[in-house]
Coordinates of all heavy atoms in Angstrom, one line a residue:
M1259 N 1.0 -5.7 -7.1 CA 2.0 -6.6 -6.6 C 2.6 -6.1 -5.3 O 3.0 -6.8 -4.4 CB 3.1 -6.8 -7.7 CG 2.7 -7.6 -8.9 SD 2.3 -9.3 -8.4 CE 3.8 -9.9 -7.6
E1260 N 2.7 -4.7 -5.2 CA 3.2 -4.2 -4.0 C 2.3 -4.5 -2.8 O 2.7 -4.8 -1.7 CB 3.4 -2.6 -4.1 CG 4.6 -2.2 -5.0 CD 4.4 -2.4 -6.5 OE1 3.2 -2.6 -6.9 OE2 5.4 -2.3 -7.2
W1261 N 1.0 -4.4 -3.1 CA 0.0 -4.7 -2.0 C 0.2 -6.2 -1.6 O 0.1 -6.5 -0.4 CB -1.4 -4.5 -2.6 CG -2.5 -4.9 -1.6 CD1 -3.0 -4.3 -0.6 CD2 -3.1 -6.2 -1.6 NE1 -3.9 -5.0 0.1 CE2 -4.1 -6.2 -0.6 CE3 -3.1 -7.3 -2.5 CZ2 -4.9 -7.3 -0.3 CZ3 -3.9 -8.4 -2.2 CH2 -4.8 -8.4 -1.1
L1262 N 0.3 -7.1 -2.6 CA 0.5 -8.5 -2.2 C 1.7 -8.7 -1.4 O 1.7 -9.5 -0.4 CB 0.5 -9.3 -3.5 CG 0.7 -10.8 -3.4 CD1 -0.4 -11.5 -2.5 CD2 0.8 -11.5 -4.7
W1263 N 2.8 -8.1 -1.9 CA 4.1 -8.3 -1.2 C 4.0 -7.8 0.3 O 4.5 -8.4 1.2 CB 5.2 -7.5 -2.0 CG 6.6 -7.8 -1.6 CD1 7.0 -8.9 -0.8 CD2 7.8 -7.1 -1.9 NE1 8.4 -8.8 -0.7 CE2 8.9 -7.7 -1.3 CE3 8.0 -5.9 -2.7 CZ2 10.2 -7.3 -1.5 CZ3 9.3 -5.5 -2.8 CH2 10.4 -6.1 -2.2
R1264 N 3.4 -6.6 0.5 CA 3.3 -6.1 1.8 C 2.4 -6.9 2.7 O 2.6 -7.1 3.9 CB 2.7 -4.6 1.7 CG 3.8 -3.6 1.3 CD 3.2 -2.3 0.9 NE 4.1 -1.3 0.7 CZ 5.0 -1.1 -0.3 NH1 5.0 -2.0 -1.3 NH2 5.8 -0.1 -0.4
S1265 N 1.3 -7.4 2.1 CA 0.3 -8.2 2.9 C 1.0 -9.5 3.3 O 0.8 -9.9 4.5 CB -0.9 -8.5 2.0 OG -1.6 -7.3 1.8
L1266 N 1.8 -10.1 2.4 CA 2.5 -11.3 2.8 C 3.6 -11.0 3.8 O 3.8 -11.8 4.7 CB 3.1 -12.0 1.5 CG 2.1 -12.6 0.6 CD1 2.7 -13.0 -0.7 CD2 1.4 -13.8 1.2
T1267 N 4.3 -9.9 3.6 CA 5.4 -9.6 4.6 C 4.9 -9.4 6.0 O 5.4 -9.9 7.0 CB 6.1 -8.3 4.1 OG1 6.7 -8.5 2.8 CG2 7.2 -7.9 5.1
Y1268 N 3.8 -8.6 6.1 CA 3.2 -8.3 7.5 C 2.2 -9.3 7.9 O 1.7 -9.2 9.0 CB 2.6 -6.9 7.5 CG 3.7 -5.8 7.2 CD1 3.8 -5.3 5.9 CD2 4.5 -5.4 8.2 CE1 4.8 -4.3 5.6 CE2 5.5 -4.4 7.9 CZ 5.6 -3.9 6.6 OH 6.6 -3.0 6.4
W1269 N 1.9 -10.3 7.0 CA 1.0 -11.4 7.3 C -0.4 -10.8 7.7 O -1.0 -11.3 8.6 CB 1.5 -12.3 8.3 CG 1.1 -13.7 8.1 CD1 0.4 -14.5 9.0 CD2 1.2 -14.5 6.9 NE1 0.1 -15.7 8.4 CE2 0.6 -15.8 7.2 CE3 1.8 -14.4 5.7 CZ2 0.6 -16.8 6.2 CZ3 1.8 -15.4 4.8 CH2 1.2 -16.6 5.0
K1270 N -0.8 -9.7 7.0 CA -2.0 -9.1 7.3 C -2.4 -8.3 6.0 O -1.6 -7.6 5.4 CB -1.9 -8.1 8.4 CG -3.1 -7.3 8.8 CD -2.9 -6.4 9.9 CE -4.1 -5.6 10.3 NZ -3.9 -4.6 11.3
L1271 N -3.7 -8.4 5.6 CA -4.2 -7.7 4.5 C -4.0 -6.2 4.7 O -4.5 -5.7 5.7 CB -5.6 -8.0 4.2 CG -5.9 -9.5 3.6 CD1 -7.4 -9.6 3.4 CD2 -5.2 -9.7 2.3
Q1272 N -3.3 -5.5 3.8 CA -3.1 -4.1 3.9 C -4.3 -3.3 3.3 O -4.9 -3.8 2.3 CB -1.8 -3.7 3.2 CG -0.6 -4.4 3.8 CD -0.3 -4.0 5.2 OE1 -0.3 -2.8 5.6 NE2 -0.1 -4.9 6.1
P1273 N -4.6 -2.2 3.8 CA -5.7 -1.4 3.1 C -5.2 -1.0 1.7 O -4.1 -0.5 1.6 CB -5.8 -0.2 4.1 CG -4.5 -0.1 4.8 CD -4.0 -1.5 5.0
M1274 N -6.1 -1.2 0.8 CA -5.7 -0.9 -0.6 C -6.1 0.4 -1.1 O -5.3 1.2 -1.7 CB -6.3 -2.0 -1.5 CG -5.8 -2.0 -3.0 SD -4.1 -2.2 -3.2 CE -4.1 -2.6 -4.9
R1275 N -7.4 0.7 -0.9 CA -7.9 2.0 -1.5 C -7.4 3.2 -0.7 O -7.2 3.1 0.5 CB -9.4 2.0 -1.5 CG -10.1 0.9 -2.4 CD -11.5 1.2 -2.6 NE -11.8 2.4 -3.3 CZ -11.7 2.6 -4.7 NH1 -11.5 1.5 -5.4 NH2 -11.9 3.8 -5.2
R1276 N -7.2 4.3 -1.4 CA -6.8 5.5 -0.8 C -8.0 6.2 -0.3 O -8.9 6.6 -1.0 CB -6.1 6.4 -1.9 CG -5.4 7.6 -1.3 CD -4.7 8.3 -2.4 NE -3.6 7.5 -2.9 CZ -2.4 7.4 -2.2 NH1 -2.2 8.0 -1.1 NH2 -1.4 6.6 -2.7
A1277 N -8.1 6.4 1.0 CA -9.3 7.0 1.7 C -9.7 8.3 1.2 O -10.8 8.6 0.9 CB -9.1 7.0 3.2
D1278 N -8.6 9.2 1.0 CA -8.9 10.6 0.6 C -9.0 10.8 -0.9 O -9.3 11.8 -1.4 CB -7.9 11.6 1.2 CG -6.5 11.2 0.8 OD1 -6.3 10.3 -0.1 OD2 -5.6 11.9 1.3
K1279 N -8.7 9.7 -1.7 CA -8.7 9.7 -3.1 C -7.8 10.8 -3.7 O -7.9 11.2 -4.8 CB -10.1 10.0 -3.7 CG -11.1 8.9 -3.3 CD -10.8 7.6 -4.0 CE -11.9 6.5 -3.6 NZ -13.2 6.9 -4.2
A1280 N -6.8 11.2 -2.9 CA -5.9 12.3 -3.3 C -4.7 11.7 -4.1 O -4.3 10.6 -3.8 CB -5.4 13.1 -2.1
T1281 N -4.2 12.5 -5.0 CA -3.1 12.1 -5.7 C -1.9 12.1 -4.8 O -1.7 13.0 -4.1 CB -2.8 13.0 -6.9 OG1 -3.9 13.1 -7.7 CG2 -1.6 12.6 -7.7
P1282 N -1.1 11.0 -4.8 CA 0.1 10.9 -3.9 C 1.0 12.1 -4.1 O 1.3 12.5 -5.3 CB 0.7 9.6 -4.2 CG 0.3 9.2 -5.6 CD -1.1 9.8 -5.7
S1283 N 1.5 12.6 -3.0 CA 2.5 13.7 -3.1 C 3.7 13.3 -3.9 O 4.3 12.3 -3.7 CB 2.8 14.2 -1.7 OG 3.9 15.2 -1.8
T1284 N 4.2 14.2 -4.8 CA 5.5 14.0 -5.4 C 6.5 15.1 -5.1 O 7.4 15.3 -5.8 CB 5.3 13.9 -7.0 OG1 4.6 15.1 -7.4 CG2 4.4 12.7 -7.4
S1285 N 6.2 15.8 -4.0 CA 7.2 16.8 -3.5 C 8.4 16.1 -3.0 O 8.4 14.9 -2.6 CB 6.6 17.6 -2.5 OG 6.2 16.9 -1.4
Q1286 N 9.5 16.8 -3.0 CA 10.8 16.2 -2.5 C 10.7 16.1 -1.0 O 10.3 17.0 -0.3 CB 11.9 17.1 -2.9 CG 12.1 17.1 -4.5 CD 13.1 18.2 -4.9 OE1 14.1 18.3 -4.2 NE2 12.8 18.9 -5.9
V1287 N 11.2 14.9 -0.5 CA 11.1 14.7 0.9 C 12.6 14.4 1.4 O 13.3 13.7 0.8 CB 10.3 13.4 1.2 CG1 10.3 13.1 2.7 CG2 8.9 13.6 0.7

């Protein structure tokens, strides 16, 4: 749903797959 929302917002299909297949960082930012 986030992908669909972003694609509609920017009116452009967003890249879906994670290129590096790495687990997203959960460190504090």
Side-chain angles (χ1 to χ4, degrees):
M1259 288 301 301
E1260 285 74 16
W1261 174 84
L1262 177 61
W1263 192 15
R1264 283 164 169 78
S1265 295
L1266 290 170
T1267 296
Y1268 298 98
W1269 211 240
K1270 178 183 179 182
L1271 290 179
Q1272 299 296 312
M1274 184 65 161
R1275 293 195 65 85
R1276 188 174 296 280
D1278 57 5
K1279 301 289 183 69
T1281 303
S1283 171
T1284 54
S1285 60
Q1286 298 171 40
V1287 182

